[in-house]
Amino acid sequence: MRLKDRVALVTGMAMGIGQGVAELFAQEGAAVIGIDIDEKLGNQVAGGIVSKGGRCQFLVGDVGSEESVRTCVQAGLDQFGRIDVLVNVVGIAAECPVDKLELAEWDRILRVNLTSVYLTSKFVLPGMLDQKRGSIIHVSSVQALLGFPGYPHYAASKGAIISLTRQMASE
């Protein structure tokens, strides 16, 4: 069990890659703190992890909201005492070419896909720095490097994740 006695926070845990990461990390021995906006699916995933003998705390949260992220991170710390691994998986997309894209939709995609990476990192880093260990994994997309028509906001958010990751590593 490669993650025995580790605590991992996973964003976007209710489905897709986030669900897969949460389930695999739990199988490998980690206690999982899952954050997602979808309460029903998040509870189902958490229940599945627990039913297989894993440890999981599911928290309903908006990862694009500073207060929500702060509250979720603190709840995870209260439950497990620390966070050793952060996996930023959450991502949303909606097709719309740039000339038809409304600013509100641009802001929504960047808030969920990019601002969430900044916020979760901001709130888990102090603990990782104090304990002098930790891993942060940001999931981006091939679309960060190759443009696909109709997804300018998604591509911009995923490209920015790569740049933010490089910046954080240099710090």
Side-chain angles (χ1 to χ4, degrees):
M1 299 204 348
R2 295 179 299 185
L3 297 173
K4 187 175 183 334
D5 299 324
R6 297 286 187 242
V7 179
L9 188 151
V10 181
T11 66
M13 186 194 97
M15 66 180 74
I17 296 170
Q19 177 181 352
V21 168
E23 291 171 346
L24 179 62
F25 277 35
Q27 180 182 328
E28 289 295 329
V32 175
I33 304 161
I35 303 174
D36 204 290
I37 198 167
D38 191 322
E39 183 173 10
K40 181 180 178 187
L41 290 178
N43 280 320
Q44 287 176 358
V45 172
I49 289 170
V50 171
S51 74
K52 293 176 183 167
R55 296 175 296 153
C56 186
Q57 175 188 35
F58 173 67
L59 303 165
V60 177
D62 175 359
V63 292
S65 159
E66 184 171 16
E67 188 54 38
S68 181
V69 172
R70 178 186 292 116
T71 300
C72 288
V73 168
Q74 189 57 56
L77 291 170
D78 291 345
Q79 176 74 27
F80 295 110
R82 68 183 193 283
I83 296 171
D84 302 300
V85 182
L86 167 62
V87 186
N88 279 306
V89 179
V90 72
I92 59 172
E95 185 175 0
C96 188
V98 83
D99 62 316
K100 305 222 182 324
L101 184 60
E102 296 292 328
L103 180 59
E105 182 65 1
W106 170 272
D107 288 343
R108 182 178 78 92
I109 298 290
L110 266 71
R111 181 179 57 80
V112 172
N113 294 359
L114 176 61
T115 302
S116 65
V117 170
Y118 152 69
L119 289 172
T120 53
S121 298
K122 173 184 176 175
F123 291 116
V124 302
L125 266 170
M128 288 180 176
L129 292 170
D130 286 348
Q131 64 193 26
K132 295 184 178 18
R133 70 164 195 223
S135 297
I136 297 178
I137 303 163
H138 300 151
V139 177
S140 184
S141 169
V142 68
Q143 201 160 343
L145 306 172
L146 304 171
F148 301 140
Y151 295 90
H153 43 354
Y154 181 79
S157 69
K158 294 301 183 172
I161 289 170
I162 294 171
S163 293
L164 177 59
T165 302
R166 286 183 179 135
Q167 179 62 35
M168 287 175 58
S170 73
E171 292 178 7

